Amino acid sequence: MPTFTDETSALGDLENRVKIPCSLPAMLGAFISLGAYLIARDTGGYGLWLSISLFLGIILTTLCFWSEKEGQMLIEGNDPCLSSGATEKIKPDLTLWLRMQGVYLVSAFAIFGVLGLIGDPVFAMYLDWKGSFLNP
């Protein structure tokens, strides 16, 4: 069993790790664009619902960024116990916010574009769900 004399040699440099949380903006982009597509297809207001959903997603992604920034402020410090700190730190700055917005916008446009091309089965499932939900 190997032993390490330096605590950072086994765990890596805990102070300079950067983790970019890209999964949450991508999930937001997918869910918001799916909802916007279904509502826009049902009501016929593509321009209105697309702009509202993009604005809502940018706000939610910004809130995600601010929560990561607040979390970073909470875990900064010189605690000698390695197990009490986070294993990966997030260093939020303007580039992280821009990356999160970029991931959100790319995923939203990709999902909305694919649904615009081949979304008839999804819309048919939505209409079935809506019919069974409104008329139990």
mmCIF file of all heavy atoms in Angstrom, residues 4-37:
data_model
loop_
_atom_site.group_PDB
_atom_site.id
_atom_site.type_symbol
_atom_site.label_atom_id
_atom_site.label_comp_id
_atom_site.label_asym_id
_atom_site.label_seq_id
_atom_site.Cartn_x
_atom_site.Cartn_y
_atom_site.Cartn_z
ATOM 1 N N PHE A 4 2.016 8.409 1.226
ATOM 2 C CA PHE A 4 2.412 9.695 0.685
ATOM 3 C C PHE A 4 2.848 10.595 1.832
ATOM 4 O O PHE A 4 2.154 10.711 2.835
ATOM 5 C CB PHE A 4 1.241 10.341 -0.070
ATOM 6 C CG PHE A 4 0.783 9.531 -1.251
ATOM 7 C CD1 PHE A 4 -0.288 8.659 -1.143
ATOM 8 C CD2 PHE A 4 1.437 9.629 -2.465
ATOM 9 C CE1 PHE A 4 -0.705 7.917 -2.216
ATOM 10 C CE2 PHE A 4 1.021 8.890 -3.559
ATOM 11 C CZ PHE A 4 -0.048 8.032 -3.437
ATOM 12 N N THR A 5 3.967 11.223 1.647
ATOM 13 C CA THR A 5 4.432 12.132 2.683
ATOM 14 C C THR A 5 3.844 13.521 2.516
ATOM 15 O O THR A 5 3.695 14.250 3.471
ATOM 16 C CB THR A 5 5.968 12.227 2.653
ATOM 17 O OG1 THR A 5 6.367 12.636 1.342
ATOM 18 C CG2 THR A 5 6.594 10.888 2.969
ATOM 19 N N ASP A 6 3.505 13.848 1.306
ATOM 20 C CA ASP A 6 2.915 15.156 1.035
ATOM 21 C C ASP A 6 1.436 14.945 0.752
ATOM 22 O O ASP A 6 1.064 14.153 -0.105
ATOM 23 C CB ASP A 6 3.608 15.797 -0.174
ATOM 24 C CG ASP A 6 3.093 17.195 -0.441
ATOM 25 O OD1 ASP A 6 2.400 17.752 0.438
ATOM 26 O OD2 ASP A 6 3.398 17.721 -1.514
ATOM 27 N N GLU A 7 0.580 15.671 1.482
ATOM 28 C CA GLU A 7 -0.850 15.424 1.332
ATOM 29 C C GLU A 7 -1.376 15.817 -0.042
ATOM 30 O O GLU A 7 -2.365 15.278 -0.510
ATOM 31 C CB GLU A 7 -1.626 16.157 2.418
ATOM 32 C CG GLU A 7 -1.447 17.649 2.375
ATOM 33 C CD GLU A 7 -1.990 18.327 3.606
ATOM 34 O OE1 GLU A 7 -2.167 17.662 4.631
ATOM 35 O OE2 GLU A 7 -2.226 19.529 3.535
ATOM 36 N N THR A 8 -0.718 16.731 -0.738
ATOM 37 C CA THR A 8 -1.205 17.113 -2.056
ATOM 38 C C THR A 8 -0.723 16.161 -3.135
ATOM 39 O O THR A 8 -1.260 16.165 -4.234
ATOM 40 C CB THR A 8 -0.757 18.535 -2.425
ATOM 41 O OG1 THR A 8 0.660 18.574 -2.440
ATOM 42 C CG2 THR A 8 -1.309 19.549 -1.467
ATOM 43 N N SER A 9 0.241 15.323 -2.847
ATOM 44 C CA SER A 9 0.694 14.387 -3.875
ATOM 45 C C SER A 9 -0.336 13.285 -4.107
ATOM 46 O O SER A 9 -0.452 12.767 -5.204
ATOM 47 C CB SER A 9 2.042 13.777 -3.493
ATOM 48 O OG SER A 9 1.898 13.010 -2.315
ATOM 49 N N ALA A 10 -1.091 12.915 -3.083
ATOM 50 C CA ALA A 10 -2.102 11.867 -3.240
ATOM 51 C C ALA A 10 -3.431 12.426 -3.744
ATOM 52 O O ALA A 10 -4.114 11.794 -4.528
ATOM 53 C CB ALA A 10 -2.324 11.155 -1.905
ATOM 54 N N LEU A 11 -3.790 13.606 -3.312
ATOM 55 C CA LEU A 11 -5.099 14.148 -3.625
ATOM 56 C C LEU A 11 -5.082 15.168 -4.750
ATOM 57 O O LEU A 11 -6.129 15.568 -5.222
ATOM 58 C CB LEU A 11 -5.688 14.813 -2.370
ATOM 59 C CG LEU A 11 -5.869 13.896 -1.169
ATOM 60 C CD1 LEU A 11 -6.326 14.689 0.035
ATOM 61 C CD2 LEU A 11 -6.868 12.817 -1.489
ATOM 62 N N GLY A 12 -3.922 15.594 -5.144
ATOM 63 C CA GLY A 12 -3.851 16.656 -6.138
ATOM 64 C C GLY A 12 -3.847 18.003 -5.445
ATOM 65 O O GLY A 12 -3.953 18.110 -4.225
ATOM 66 N N ASP A 13 -3.722 19.037 -6.213
ATOM 67 C CA ASP A 13 -3.677 20.379 -5.660
ATOM 68 C C ASP A 13 -5.096 20.851 -5.400
ATOM 69 O O ASP A 13 -5.816 21.235 -6.318
ATOM 70 C CB ASP A 13 -2.954 21.316 -6.637
ATOM 71 C CG ASP A 13 -2.683 22.671 -6.028
ATOM 72 O OD1 ASP A 13 -2.948 22.838 -4.820
ATOM 73 O OD2 ASP A 13 -2.211 23.560 -6.748
ATOM 74 N N LEU A 14 -5.507 20.830 -4.137
ATOM 75 C CA LEU A 14 -6.882 21.171 -3.795
ATOM 76 C C LEU A 14 -7.163 22.663 -3.905
ATOM 77 O O LEU A 14 -8.303 23.069 -3.991
ATOM 78 C CB LEU A 14 -7.206 20.693 -2.381
ATOM 79 C CG LEU A 14 -7.205 19.195 -2.172
ATOM 80 C CD1 LEU A 14 -7.479 18.869 -0.715
ATOM 81 C CD2 LEU A 14 -8.239 18.540 -3.054
ATOM 82 N N GLU A 15 -6.142 23.481 -3.896
ATOM 83 C CA GLU A 15 -6.343 24.916 -3.900
ATOM 84 C C GLU A 15 -6.545 25.489 -5.294
ATOM 85 O O GLU A 15 -7.081 26.561 -5.448
ATOM 86 C CB GLU A 15 -5.157 25.614 -3.232
ATOM 87 C CG GLU A 15 -5.017 25.293 -1.764
ATOM 88 C CD GLU A 15 -6.258 25.690 -0.969
ATOM 89 O OE1 GLU A 15 -6.822 26.763 -1.236
ATOM 90 O OE2 GLU A 15 -6.664 24.922 -0.092
ATOM 91 N N ASN A 16 -6.108 24.798 -6.338
ATOM 92 C CA ASN A 16 -6.150 25.387 -7.667
ATOM 93 C C ASN A 16 -6.984 24.588 -8.660
ATOM 94 O O ASN A 16 -6.775 24.707 -9.853
ATOM 95 C CB ASN A 16 -4.724 25.535 -8.206
ATOM 96 C CG ASN A 16 -3.951 26.564 -7.419
ATOM 97 O OD1 ASN A 16 -4.486 27.591 -7.062
ATOM 98 N ND2 ASN A 16 -2.702 26.266 -7.137
ATOM 99 N N ARG A 17 -7.876 23.776 -8.185
ATOM 100 C CA ARG A 17 -8.744 23.054 -9.104
ATOM 101 C C ARG A 17 -9.865 23.962 -9.559
ATOM 102 O O ARG A 17 -10.414 24.729 -8.786
ATOM 103 C CB ARG A 17 -9.345 21.825 -8.439
ATOM 104 C CG ARG A 17 -8.349 20.724 -8.248
ATOM 105 C CD ARG A 17 -9.065 19.480 -7.838
ATOM 106 N NE ARG A 17 -8.099 18.449 -7.540
ATOM 107 C CZ ARG A 17 -8.433 17.242 -7.179
ATOM 108 N NH1 ARG A 17 -9.687 16.911 -7.071
ATOM 109 N NH2 ARG A 17 -7.508 16.350 -6.931
ATOM 110 N N VAL A 18 -10.212 23.844 -10.809
ATOM 111 C CA VAL A 18 -11.312 24.620 -11.349
ATOM 112 C C VAL A 18 -12.315 23.640 -11.938
ATOM 113 O O VAL A 18 -11.971 22.807 -12.757
ATOM 114 C CB VAL A 18 -10.832 25.608 -12.431
ATOM 115 C CG1 VAL A 18 -12.010 26.342 -13.031
ATOM 116 C CG2 VAL A 18 -9.846 26.585 -11.846
ATOM 117 N N LYS A 19 -13.539 23.724 -11.496
ATOM 118 C CA LYS A 19 -14.597 22.858 -11.994
ATOM 119 C C LYS A 19 -15.660 23.749 -12.619
ATOM 120 O O LYS A 19 -16.171 24.659 -11.974
ATOM 121 C CB LYS A 19 -15.193 22.060 -10.843
ATOM 122 C CG LYS A 19 -16.343 21.177 -11.233
ATOM 123 C CD LYS A 19 -16.909 20.505 -10.002
ATOM 124 C CE LYS A 19 -18.206 19.825 -10.339
ATOM 125 N NZ LYS A 19 -18.918 19.394 -9.152
ATOM 126 N N ILE A 20 -15.986 23.490 -13.864
ATOM 127 C CA ILE A 20 -17.007 24.272 -14.550
ATOM 128 C C ILE A 20 -18.284 23.445 -14.576
ATOM 129 O O ILE A 20 -18.333 22.406 -15.219
ATOM 130 C CB ILE A 20 -16.553 24.634 -15.973
ATOM 131 C CG1 ILE A 20 -15.275 25.432 -15.905
ATOM 132 C CG2 ILE A 20 -17.635 25.396 -16.702
ATOM 133 C CD1 ILE A 20 -14.610 25.602 -17.229
ATOM 134 N N PRO A 21 -19.307 23.875 -13.862
ATOM 135 C CA PRO A 21 -20.548 23.092 -13.806
ATOM 136 C C PRO A 21 -21.369 23.282 -15.077
ATOM 137 O O PRO A 21 -22.231 24.137 -15.141
ATOM 138 C CB PRO A 21 -21.257 23.650 -12.576
ATOM 139 C CG PRO A 21 -20.754 25.054 -12.477
ATOM 140 C CD PRO A 21 -19.354 25.047 -13.016
ATOM 141 N N CYS A 22 -21.092 22.484 -16.095
ATOM 142 C CA CYS A 22 -21.770 22.652 -17.381
ATOM 143 C C CYS A 22 -23.012 21.792 -17.504
ATOM 144 O O CYS A 22 -23.774 21.970 -18.450
ATOM 145 C CB CYS A 22 -20.812 22.326 -18.524
ATOM 146 S SG CYS A 22 -19.516 23.543 -18.713
ATOM 147 N N SER A 23 -23.220 20.865 -16.615
ATOM 148 C CA SER A 23 -24.382 19.990 -16.776
ATOM 149 C C SER A 23 -25.686 20.702 -16.445
ATOM 150 O O SER A 23 -26.693 20.471 -17.112
ATOM 151 C CB SER A 23 -24.222 18.753 -15.904
ATOM 152 O OG SER A 23 -24.132 19.126 -14.535
ATOM 153 N N LEU A 24 -25.690 21.564 -15.446
ATOM 154 C CA LEU A 24 -26.935 22.245 -15.084
ATOM 155 C C LEU A 24 -27.408 23.207 -16.175
ATOM 156 O O LEU A 24 -28.592 23.178 -16.525
ATOM 157 C CB LEU A 24 -26.780 22.970 -13.749
ATOM 158 C CG LEU A 24 -28.050 23.607 -13.204
ATOM 159 C CD1 LEU A 24 -29.135 22.559 -12.984
ATOM 160 C CD2 LEU A 24 -27.770 24.331 -11.913
ATOM 161 N N PRO A 25 -26.558 24.055 -16.759
ATOM 162 C CA PRO A 25 -27.049 24.905 -17.858
ATOM 163 C C PRO A 25 -27.534 24.100 -19.063
ATOM 164 O O PRO A 25 -28.502 24.494 -19.717
ATOM 165 C CB PRO A 25 -25.844 25.766 -18.222
ATOM 166 C CG PRO A 25 -25.029 25.811 -16.999
ATOM 167 C CD PRO A 25 -25.217 24.482 -16.345
ATOM 168 N N ALA A 26 -26.892 22.974 -19.348
ATOM 169 C CA ALA A 26 -27.341 22.148 -20.473
ATOM 170 C C ALA A 26 -28.702 21.532 -20.181
ATOM 171 O O ALA A 26 -29.569 21.471 -21.057
ATOM 172 C CB ALA A 26 -26.311 21.064 -20.771
ATOM 173 N N MET A 27 -28.912 21.074 -18.941
ATOM 174 C CA MET A 27 -30.220 20.531 -18.576
ATOM 175 C C MET A 27 -31.288 21.619 -18.604
ATOM 176 O O MET A 27 -32.406 21.380 -19.063
ATOM 177 C CB MET A 27 -30.154 19.873 -17.195
ATOM 178 C CG MET A 27 -29.365 18.583 -17.187
ATOM 179 S SD MET A 27 -29.449 17.687 -15.632
ATOM 180 C CE MET A 27 -28.801 18.843 -14.467
ATOM 181 N N LEU A 28 -30.934 22.818 -18.120
ATOM 182 C CA LEU A 28 -31.882 23.923 -18.199
ATOM 183 C C LEU A 28 -32.237 24.230 -19.648
ATOM 184 O O LEU A 28 -33.400 24.463 -19.975
ATOM 185 C CB LEU A 28 -31.282 25.179 -17.546
ATOM 186 C CG LEU A 28 -31.296 25.246 -16.028
ATOM 187 C CD1 LEU A 28 -30.538 26.479 -15.556
ATOM 188 C CD2 LEU A 28 -32.704 25.269 -15.501
ATOM 189 N N GLY A 29 -31.236 24.244 -20.505
ATOM 190 C CA GLY A 29 -31.490 24.514 -21.913
ATOM 191 C C GLY A 29 -32.408 23.483 -22.535
ATOM 192 O O GLY A 29 -33.313 23.823 -23.305
ATOM 193 N N ALA A 30 -32.196 22.215 -22.192
ATOM 194 C CA ALA A 30 -33.039 21.157 -22.757
ATOM 195 C C ALA A 30 -34.473 21.252 -22.247
ATOM 196 O O ALA A 30 -35.423 21.197 -23.026
ATOM 197 C CB ALA A 30 -32.443 19.795 -22.415
ATOM 198 N N PHE A 31 -34.647 21.414 -20.943
ATOM 199 C CA PHE A 31 -36.001 21.450 -20.388
ATOM 200 C C PHE A 31 -36.761 22.712 -20.794
ATOM 201 O O PHE A 31 -37.940 22.648 -21.123
ATOM 202 C CB PHE A 31 -35.960 21.332 -18.863
ATOM 203 C CG PHE A 31 -35.602 19.966 -18.388
ATOM 204 C CD1 PHE A 31 -34.601 19.779 -17.452
ATOM 205 C CD2 PHE A 31 -36.270 18.848 -18.867
ATOM 206 C CE1 PHE A 31 -34.270 18.515 -17.015
ATOM 207 C CE2 PHE A 31 -35.939 17.573 -18.433
ATOM 208 C CZ PHE A 31 -34.930 17.412 -17.499
ATOM 209 N N ILE A 32 -36.088 23.843 -20.781
ATOM 210 C CA ILE A 32 -36.777 25.092 -21.122
ATOM 211 C C ILE A 32 -37.131 25.118 -22.602
ATOM 212 O O ILE A 32 -38.214 25.548 -22.984
ATOM 213 C CB ILE A 32 -35.922 26.293 -20.701
ATOM 214 C CG1 ILE A 32 -35.917 26.391 -19.171
ATOM 215 C CG2 ILE A 32 -36.436 27.590 -21.306
ATOM 216 C CD1 ILE A 32 -35.011 27.448 -18.615
ATOM 217 N N SER A 33 -36.221 24.642 -23.455
ATOM 218 C CA SER A 33 -36.541 24.644 -24.885
ATOM 219 C C SER A 33 -37.640 23.639 -25.213
ATOM 220 O O SER A 33 -38.481 23.892 -26.076
ATOM 221 C CB SER A 33 -35.285 24.349 -25.710
ATOM 222 O OG SER A 33 -34.767 23.085 -25.381
ATOM 223 N N LEU A 34 -37.665 22.497 -24.505
ATOM 224 C CA LEU A 34 -38.755 21.537 -24.709
ATOM 225 C C LEU A 34 -40.094 22.149 -24.307
ATOM 226 O O LEU A 34 -41.072 22.060 -25.045
ATOM 227 C CB LEU A 34 -38.493 20.259 -23.912
ATOM 228 C CG LEU A 34 -39.584 19.196 -23.974
ATOM 229 C CD1 LEU A 34 -39.729 18.663 -25.385
ATOM 230 C CD2 LEU A 34 -39.279 18.075 -23.001
ATOM 231 N N GLY A 35 -40.118 22.792 -23.143
ATOM 232 C CA GLY A 35 -41.356 23.440 -22.709
ATOM 233 C C GLY A 35 -41.774 24.572 -23.632
ATOM 234 O O GLY A 35 -42.958 24.728 -23.952
ATOM 235 N N ALA A 36 -40.807 25.358 -24.080
ATOM 236 C CA ALA A 36 -41.120 26.465 -24.994
ATOM 237 C C ALA A 36 -41.635 25.937 -26.325
ATOM 238 O O ALA A 36 -42.565 26.506 -26.905
ATOM 239 C CB ALA A 36 -39.884 27.331 -25.210
ATOM 240 N N TYR A 37 -41.046 24.857 -26.802
ATOM 241 C CA TYR A 37 -41.508 24.283 -28.068
ATOM 242 C C TYR A 37 -42.951 23.799 -27.953
ATOM 243 O O TYR A 37 -43.778 24.065 -28.820
ATOM 244 C CB TYR A 37 -40.603 23.133 -28.491
ATOM 245 C CG TYR A 37 -41.163 22.328 -29.637
ATOM 246 C CD1 TYR A 37 -41.111 22.809 -30.931
ATOM 247 C CD2 TYR A 37 -41.787 21.106 -29.418
ATOM 248 C CE1 TYR A 37 -41.655 22.083 -31.984
ATOM 249 C CE2 TYR A 37 -42.323 20.377 -30.454
ATOM 250 C CZ TYR A 37 -42.255 20.868 -31.740
ATOM 251 O OH TYR A 37 -42.789 20.160 -32.777
#
